[in-house]
Amino acid sequence: MDENFPKIISVDDHVIEHGRVWLDRLPAKYHDVGPRTIQERGDMKFVGGVFSYEPSDDGQLCDWWLYEDKKVPQTRLSAAAGFDRDEVKVTGITYEEMRKGCWDPKARLEDMDANWTEAQMCFPSFPRFCGQVFMEAEDKVLSDLCVKAYNDWMVEEWCGDSNGRLIPLTITHLWDADLAAAEVYRNAARGVRAVCFSEIPPYLGLPSIHNDYWEPFFRACSETGTSINMHIGSSSKMPSTSADAPAAVGSTLTFGNAMSSMTDWLFSGWLAKLPDLKLAYSEGQIGWIPYILERADNVWEENRAWGGFGDKVPEPPSTYYYRQIYGCFFDDVYGLENIEKCGIENICFETDYPHSDSTWPNSREVGAKLMRDLPEDVIYKLVRGNAIKLLDLDFDK
């Protein structure tokens, strides 16, 4: 079975930006305030769904990002590839300790070859999963330059010499929907077909998707065939139950924000208004999807008199899911047992390199075991075919 397993096209991986991504692209006058790195010791912990850290003379040596008044450490959880499971802890890490594939595109391609992976799309690290670092900054002129510098680096340096194997995923201007739209058009003109967005914008202090604020951005994505990609944690808030809950509680509940976000979109009216718009949920797994679709359809049918969605959602919500939304998984037996309800055309496989949940370098073996009872044509769609369709890739044409 493993020998016949399709080459993986992963829709959720991560890049650790090297220390000169912004220094190489920003005007010199911003070099003392723009993103740059230093090496210091520090302590960090993850409790109650909150990651906290501080410099400490007795802590772990690690590389830190500096930006305006921010000081953010690199962590082993984000660069776990190559470490034994028992060594993957909430602790600092330096670039020298990381596997080179975390930040070097040529080394990344070698690690992809070792993992039966033909292509992958990478979410950002320092900007966070939808670029919210630049939204939070004081100097929005610099923020604009930082967003564009990241996207130029992503397209030209990270993906540029990969022959299409590294798929560009850009960030955008979360603080201004018109600027966000313009950046989508700018990147689409050079072949980009994916952009990051927050799963629940109000958690970032931004307008929800239930009004017209985001229309320029959504319409730009629809018109250019640019998928909106929402990673768990892209609202800077992970599900948990209390401030003292162990990290295992939040890790079990990671799908919660994706579930809430999808429900938002199903009742927002945007999917009916923009039928070419595509959404993708990363690292949320898939087993919860059938029930949410069932529940949303029942609410649409039974509670329409007071549901608040009026005429914006003319068809059952599941209609829009099967037409326009994608989920992804790396380990979800229950979801695969119910793959027809999850949507054979709607689900993609991921390897999550180099994060702590990654199946690297055994993603082929893991995928083959998970999908061993599925027909070959279904396996093909989950492992690469649906990603090709979602991202308008040139493979297999």
Side-chain angles (χ1 to χ4, degrees):
M1 169 64 183
D2 288 5
E3 297 77 18
N4 298 321
F5 194 74
K7 276 287 187 77
I8 299 164
I9 297 180
S10 173
V11 296
D12 174 30
D13 298 275
H14 302 265
V15 59
I16 308 294
E17 301 84 12
H18 66 73
R20 295 200 58 87
V21 166
W22 286 275
L23 290 177
D24 287 346
R25 292 164 180 81
L26 291 176
K29 67 178 182 178
Y30 290 115
H31 283 192
D32 291 337
V33 291
R36 61 211 185 276
T37 58
I38 61 167
Q39 201 167 86
E40 285 186 358
R41 296 185 178 274
D43 291 324
M44 55 198 71
K45 59 185 177 179
F46 186 75
V47 179
V50 177
F51 175 53
S52 58
Y53 46 85
E54 60 183 8
S56 169
D57 292 339
D58 300 322
Q60 184 79 20
L61 184 67
C62 64
D63 282 294
W64 296 67
W65 280 104
L66 304 181
Y67 173 44
E68 290 192 339
D69 60 349
K70 290 182 181 292
K71 193 173 185 178
V72 183
Q74 304 275 22
T75 74
R76 193 177 294 180
L77 291 181
S78 296
F83 288 95
D84 291 336
R85 285 291 179 186
D86 291 343
E87 296 178 323
V88 179
K89 301 176 181 178
V90 182
T91 188
I93 193 171
T94 66
Y95 283 105
E96 290 77 17
E97 293 174 300
M98 294 178 194
R99 193 170 180 87
K100 194 174 180 181
C102 293
W103 53 268
D104 180 87
K106 292 182 180 178
R108 174 63 65 95
L109 293 174
E110 293 172 1
D111 281 354
M112 289 163 58
D113 289 337
N115 197 42
W116 200 246
T117 302
E118 183 161 16
Q120 62 177 212
M121 184 175 72
C122 296
F123 282 84
S125 293
F126 168 68
R128 306 212 300 275
F129 291 150
C130 64
Q132 49 272 60
V133 161
F134 302 125
M135 178 206 72
E136 296 166 352
E138 291 294 326
D139 186 342
K140 289 299 189 291
V141 173
L142 176 56
S143 292
D144 171 67
L145 293 172
C146 285
V147 167
K148 292 173 180 174
Y150 177 90
N151 291 338
D152 290 345
W153 165 80
M154 166 63 62
V155 174
E156 298 165 8
E157 183 177 332
W158 181 251
C159 300
D161 294 330
S162 70
N163 197 28
R165 295 186 62 193
L166 291 171
I167 304 161
L169 173 62
T170 55
I171 58 177
T172 200
H173 303 70
L174 293 170
W175 64 94
D176 187 311
D178 290 316
L179 289 177
E183 185 65 2
V184 168
Y185 287 122
R186 183 177 84 94
N187 291 310
R190 51 182 173 174
V192 176
R193 293 294 179 267
V195 65
C196 302
F197 189 59
S198 175
E199 58 203 350
I200 306 177
Y203 285 176
L204 300 177
L206 297 168
S208 80
I209 66 168
H210 296 294
N211 58 63
D212 289 336
Y213 175 82
W214 294 106
E215 180 165 12
F217 173 63
F218 295 163
R219 191 167 296 281
C221 292
S222 177
E223 290 177 356
T224 60
T226 300
S227 63
I228 294 176
N229 296 264
M230 294 168 283
H231 196 285
I232 58 168
S234 56
S235 58
S236 296
K237 181 178 180 180
M238 292 295 288
S240 192
T241 55
S242 65
D244 58 352
V249 173
S251 184
T252 301
L253 296 173
T254 51
F255 69 93
N257 284 352
M259 180 175 64
S260 298
S261 174
M262 185 181 293
T263 306
D264 251 355
W265 277 94
L266 290 175
F267 284 106
S268 69
W270 286 114
L271 299 176
K273 183 182 290 187
L274 300 172
D276 294 324
L277 186 63
K278 294 180 289 186
L279 313 178
Y281 286 95
S282 298
E283 208 170 318
Q285 308 292 4
I286 60 176
W288 51 272
I289 292 175
Y291 173 70
I292 284 299
L293 297 179
E294 176 186 321
R295 177 60 181 164
D297 281 357
N298 286 342
V299 167
W300 180 87
E301 183 66 40
E302 303 296 335
N303 299 343
R304 62 177 56 252
W306 57 272
F309 52 88
D311 297 329
K312 294 189 300 182
V313 187
E315 298 178 85
S318 62
T319 305
Y320 308 108
Y321 169 80
Y322 290 117
R323 188 176 73 190
Q324 294 170 254
I325 301 180
Y326 294 75
C328 78
F329 74 100
F330 57 81
D331 184 10
D332 190 333
V333 173
Y334 182 81
L336 291 172
E337 288 174 347
N338 294 274
I339 191 61
E340 290 192 4
K341 290 186 176 180
C342 291
I344 291 172
E345 307 282 343
N346 301 80
I347 303 302
C348 302
F349 190 48
E350 63 164 281
T351 68
D352 198 29
Y353 180 103
H355 279 191
S356 58
D357 277 329
S358 178
T359 52
W360 184 92
N362 303 307
S363 298
R364 174 170 62 166
E365 292 78 10
V366 169
K369 183 178 179 181
L370 285 170
M371 296 179 242
R372 62 181 180 269
D373 295 328
L374 298 178
E376 287 187 7
D377 62 323
V378 174
I379 294 173
Y380 168 81
K381 289 179 180 180
L382 303 185
V383 174
R384 61 186 288 123
N386 291 340
I388 291 170
K389 179 179 64 172
L390 169 66
L391 300 167
D392 190 26
L393 303 176
D394 289 333
F395 298 102
D396 301 354
K397 290 184 178 178

